[in-house]
Amino acid sequence: ETGVTQSPTHLIKTRGQQVTLRCSSQSGHNTVSWYQQALGQGPQFIFQYYREEENGRGNFPPRFSGLQFPNYSSELNVNALELDDSALYLCASSLSGGPIAKNIQYFGAGTRLSVL
Amino acid sequence: AQSVTQPDIHITVSEGASLELRCNYSYGATPYLFWYVQSPGQGLQLLLKYFSGDTLVQGIKGFEAEFKRSQSSFNLRKPSVHWSDAAEYFCAVPGNQFYFGTGTSLTVIP
């Protein structure tokens, strides 16, 4: 049990719709990262937020956006959903005062998104 | 750019047998390295990490990994596998982001 919770657990959307996924970080953690894990693949880094600001971004288009709130909970928003967005979306929280390198990330169980 | 490669997509071992999962990294300097495990329907759980110092690191659940700079490897080992170890295993190296390998799926047969 990592203390990182994600909601919802499962979600079904249709192409073109918008979706919001939520993450509650482990107590005391000020950094949250989001990952997309397609079936049979490793997690792919989407972006990271540190103290409510984006702190790094992977190779994902701008229709993937995020927010981090003062209580360090976070949202991942995806606009104009495409079929290839179907994946497990993982949130990870960590305590960071600097570079990503030593961040030990604690993962939630993920949200399974299916786009039809 | 940093990257990790896990050459084995799937491994099957008998319960009680030893296990080694391979991970090769690409990194300019001495890397930090992580191994995570993902059980079905679960998020990723940290097994162990290497930052510096002793090249043999111990983790949870009886796992260990050895950092070998000469081979650019960080292989995960366990002397005796239990049925509950069946899962997906990921090696990761952080840089400006966390880079995960594609994973190795472990099946344990009785």
Side-chain angles (χ1 to χ4, degrees):
Chain A
E1 193 80 20
T2 63
V4 180
T5 57
Q6 294 186 241
S7 62
T9 310
H10 295 87
L11 202 52
I12 300 174
K13 292 285 188 179
T14 56
R15 194 170 46 182
Q17 285 188 310
Q18 178 266 343
V19 68
T20 297
L21 311 182
R22 294 179 173 83
C23 174
S24 177
S25 298
Q26 184 167 319
S27 178
H29 284 184
N30 56 14
T31 303
V32 64
S33 302
W34 285 91
Y35 294 84
Q36 180 194 66
Q37 186 179 16
L39 203 60
Q41 299 295 316
Q44 297 291 314
F45 177 76
I46 302 175
F47 44 57
Q48 182 184 81
Y49 278 80
Y50 171 60
R51 292 186 175 177
E52 302 177 56
E53 293 199 2
E54 190 174 293
N55 188 40
R57 190 177 183 93
N59 189 26
F60 281 81
R63 59 190 185 84
F64 286 78
S65 63
L67 283 173
Q68 186 183 31
F69 300 100
N71 66 354
Y72 301 130
S73 65
S74 176
E75 287 182 356
L76 164 66
N77 298 288
V78 187
N79 293 322
L81 283 167
E82 301 176 0
L83 297 180
D84 285 348
D85 295 334
S86 295
L88 180 68
Y89 288 84
L90 296 164
C91 164
S93 76
S94 56
L95 180 61
S96 171
I100 287 178
K102 275 195 171 183
N103 290 357
I104 296 173
Q105 301 194 45
Y106 297 87
F107 285 81
T111 294
R112 174 73 63 185
L113 173 64
S114 298
V115 182
L116 306 178
Chain B
Q2 300 90 336
S3 67
V4 288
T5 302
Q6 294 181 248
D8 304 305
I9 297 173
H10 186 251
I11 284 182
T12 299
V13 298
S14 298
E15 191 169 16
S18 64
L19 171 70
E20 183 168 27
L21 303 182
R22 295 185 290 165
C23 172
N24 295 104
Y25 67 87
S26 172
Y27 196 89
T30 300
Y32 301 136
L33 291 158
F34 298 77
W35 273 100
Y36 282 85
V37 61
Q38 185 177 34
S39 298
Q42 302 294 315
L44 278 70
Q45 181 183 20
L46 179 67
L47 281 176
L48 48 78
K49 61 189 182 294
Y50 172 76
F51 286 167
S52 64
D54 194 346
T55 57
L56 184 64
V57 294
Q58 303 296 321
I60 63 171
K61 303 185 180 187
F63 285 92
E64 66 178 26
E66 186 170 12
F67 171 66
K68 292 185 177 180
R69 184 192 304 276
S70 62
Q71 298 176 19
S72 298
S73 69
F74 188 57
N75 294 347
L76 182 71
R77 302 193 296 243
K78 186 169 185 178
S80 178
V81 170
H82 188 262
W83 63 266
S84 60
D85 293 325
E88 191 86 17
Y89 291 81
F90 294 95
C91 181
V93 60
N96 58 343
Q97 60 170 277
F98 248 74
Y99 298 91
F100 284 87
T102 51
T104 298
S105 177
L106 175 65
T107 297
V108 180
I109 55 177

